[in-house]
């Protein structure tokens, strides 16, 4: 799967809509706007303004998904506040377009480091290489996961694991701290003023980024966290693969996992789960084993949810152990070479 398809799969519907509006331009886009509700117009305007440079390959992948051809638009499509303004003015006229833009401008202006969206990730990594890891983590917290992953991949030496750990540990950042960082990076970053604490980073941010980095970088980060912050590593691992993710395993991997899990433990884990997970497990077992498992679940009676979740986590631990041993392969966000 190409990187463009990977990006397309990760984009939200609003992001895809914004890319299409940027790609077709204000003249064609203005003919669509009147058919949207006021709320949809405002949400789409914010997303268009947030959109940075869109590479032609990604743009075409999005357009193909909607069965539209855009071959005449080559190169890079530019989003941003100016693009959003032109789109609104073309659709509703100067006055009404400006009024809508003013209503959503406070949301747009609250985006720290918005200017870096147009900076190539490799160049951005080179620029940030000599900055403090905490500064780099703060910047990455406001990038989309694919871009942040590209920056982490390009960082030199042992910087990536430390930045990853700081990204996961980051919580709410005071606006004055963000402003100070922006002042240091003012040659390449536009100044953005925030009025409230900006919550960014955290374990979820790191997990999203790890879904895009290459396998070697991910392994380096995880090994370093195992030494420096094992508690954080465990939290990251829990979020990277959940019990519901069992449906993503191929048949061979699922059978391998089931060999390592006790029947009673499996029954306890399946006591409260989605039908998709149950079906996945049942399809990987013989009819006799499925009947025994169903009987075990039925005769178990009422069980505390906490106990069920602990059993599910032990099953997930088996999956992680088998992956670490190279006995099964899990899908990752970034494309991996297969041999």
């Amino acid at each position: 799967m190409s990187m463009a398809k990977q990006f397309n799969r990760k984009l939200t519907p609003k992001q895809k809509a914004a890319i299409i509006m940027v790609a077709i331009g204000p003249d064609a886009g203005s003919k669509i706007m009147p058919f949207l509700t006021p709320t949809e117009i405002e949400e789409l305007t914010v997303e268009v303004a947030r959109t940075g440079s869109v590479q032609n390959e990604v743009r075409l992948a999005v357009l193909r998904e909607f069965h539209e051809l855009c071959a005449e638009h080559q190169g890079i499509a530019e989003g941003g506040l100016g693009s959003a303004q032109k789109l609104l003015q073309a659709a509703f006229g100067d006055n009404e377009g400006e009024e809508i833009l003013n209503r959503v401008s406070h949301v747009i202006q609250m985006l720290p480091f918005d200017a870096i969206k147009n900076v190539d990730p490799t160049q951005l990594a080179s620029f940030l290489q000599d900055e403090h890891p905490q500064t780099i983590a703060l910047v990455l917290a406001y990038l989309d996961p694919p871009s942040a992953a590209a920056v982490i991949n390009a960082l030199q030496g042992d910087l990536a694991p430390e930045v990853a750990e700081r990204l996961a540990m980051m919580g709410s950042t005071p606006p004055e701290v963000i402003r100070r960082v922006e002042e240091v990076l003012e040659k390449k970053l536009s100044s953005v003023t925030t009025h409230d604490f900006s919550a960014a980073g955290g374990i979820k941010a790191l997990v999203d980024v790890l879904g895009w980095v290459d396998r070697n970088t991910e392994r380096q980060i995880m090994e370093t966290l195992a030494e420096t912050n094992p508690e954080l590593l465990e939290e990251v691992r829990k979020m990277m693969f959940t019990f519901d993710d069992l449906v993503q395993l191929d048949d061979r991997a699922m059978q391998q996992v089931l060999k390592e899990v006790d029947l009673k433990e499996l029954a306890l884990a399946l006591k409260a789960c989605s039908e998709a997970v149950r079906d996945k497990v049942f399809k990987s077992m013989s009819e006799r084993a499925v009947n025994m498992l169903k009987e075990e679940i039925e005769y178990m009676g009422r069980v505390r949810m906490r106990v069920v979740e602990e059993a599910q986590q032990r099953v997930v631990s088996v999956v992680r152990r088998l992956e670490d041993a190279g006995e099964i392969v899990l899908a990752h966000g970034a494309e991996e070479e297969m041999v």
Side-chain angles (χ1 to χ4, degrees):
M1 182 180 295
S2 68
M3 187 59 69
K5 291 182 180 179
Q6 290 279 2
F7 281 13
N8 186 26
R9 183 169 55 84
K10 291 285 186 177
L11 292 171
T12 67
K14 290 180 183 177
Q15 289 172 328
K16 293 177 182 178
I19 290 175
I20 289 176
M21 297 298 280
V22 170
I24 64 178
D27 291 338
S30 64
K31 299 177 182 179
I32 297 176
M33 283 289 199
F35 293 94
L36 304 179
T37 67
T39 299
E40 290 171 339
I41 292 171
E42 293 185 8
E43 291 178 347
L44 184 56
T45 299
V46 170
E47 206 59 59
V48 169
R50 286 175 171 172
T51 302
S53 296
V54 182
Q55 294 296 334
N56 189 53
E57 186 182 3
V58 177
R59 174 172 61 88
L60 290 177
V62 173
L63 290 168
R64 288 192 192 100
E65 184 179 335
F66 289 91
H67 305 289
E68 295 180 17
L69 296 177
C70 200
E72 67 274 15
H73 297 282
Q74 299 296 327
I76 296 177
E78 295 287 344
L81 188 58
S83 179
Q85 183 177 19
K86 291 179 182 178
L87 188 62
L88 291 173
Q89 289 175 340
F92 303 104
D94 292 349
N95 293 334
E96 188 176 354
E98 193 68 28
E99 182 181 343
I100 295 174
L101 190 63
N102 288 336
R103 286 205 301 267
V104 300
S105 62
H106 69 285
V107 178
I108 298 169
Q109 293 301 319
M110 288 177 63
L111 299 174
F113 309 116
D114 195 49
I116 67 176
K117 291 183 177 180
N118 291 328
V119 179
D120 178 77
T122 302
Q123 295 177 347
L124 184 59
S126 177
F127 171 71
L128 294 173
Q129 180 69 38
D130 295 327
E131 298 295 332
H132 192 280
Q134 187 68 27
T135 299
I136 302 175
L138 179 61
V139 174
L140 297 189
Y142 289 96
L143 287 177
D144 58 87
S147 298
V151 172
I152 284 187
N153 281 336
L155 291 176
Q156 302 296 317
D158 299 328
L159 191 56
E162 185 172 0
V163 170
E165 181 175 357
R166 290 176 181 271
L167 176 64
M169 299 300 292
M170 188 182 301
S172 296
T173 305
E176 59 271 17
V177 173
I178 295 177
R179 285 196 292 269
R180 284 201 299 270
V181 173
E182 287 175 337
E183 289 173 2
V184 174
L185 305 176
E186 63 182 1
K187 291 183 179 180
K188 289 190 176 180
L189 299 177
S190 62
S191 297
V192 179
T193 302
T194 59
H195 302 287
D196 301 307
F197 278 57
S198 297
I203 297 175
K204 179 61 167 60
L206 175 58
V207 171
D208 288 341
V209 170
L210 288 177
W212 286 95
V213 301
D214 59 68
R215 188 66 170 130
N216 288 335
T217 301
E218 179 194 317
R219 185 177 294 108
Q220 181 188 17
I221 291 173
M222 302 295 269
E223 289 175 353
T224 302
L225 288 181
E227 298 177 1
T228 63
N229 199 329
E231 293 81 9
L232 172 60
L233 174 62
E234 185 61 25
E235 291 301 315
V236 170
R237 282 183 173 276
K238 287 178 181 178
M239 293 186 66
M240 287 187 68
F241 188 93
T242 67
F243 189 76
D244 288 337
D245 290 332
L246 288 175
V247 296
Q248 300 177 10
L249 297 179
D250 58 38
D251 294 340
R252 177 189 171 281
M254 188 74 243
Q255 292 170 3
Q256 191 75 9
V257 170
L258 293 178
K259 290 179 182 179
E260 303 289 329
V261 179
D262 179 77
L263 181 66
K264 291 185 177 181
E265 182 90 320
L266 182 59
L268 186 58
L270 294 179
K271 186 70 174 176
C273 69
S274 66
E275 287 297 322
V277 173
R278 280 198 182 192
D279 291 342
K280 180 69 176 182
V281 172
F282 290 162
K283 289 178 181 178
S284 301
M285 304 173 67
S286 66
E287 183 177 353
R288 177 174 175 275
V290 169
N291 291 333
M292 292 176 59
L293 182 57
K294 288 181 177 179
E295 289 179 2
E296 188 70 34
I297 296 174
E298 182 179 353
Y299 294 144
M300 190 175 297
R302 292 169 60 85
V303 181
R304 292 183 181 275
M305 190 60 193
R306 175 180 57 82
V307 177
V308 174
E309 290 175 348
E310 290 174 351
Q312 291 177 350
Q313 193 55 46
R314 287 192 290 272
V315 175
V316 170
S317 297
V318 171
V319 175
R320 294 202 306 262
R321 174 169 56 79
L322 290 175
E323 186 196 28
D324 290 341
E327 297 184 31
I328 63 174
V329 177
L330 302 182
H332 292 271
E335 188 174 13
E336 294 184 20
E337 181 181 3
M338 300 298 291
V339 295

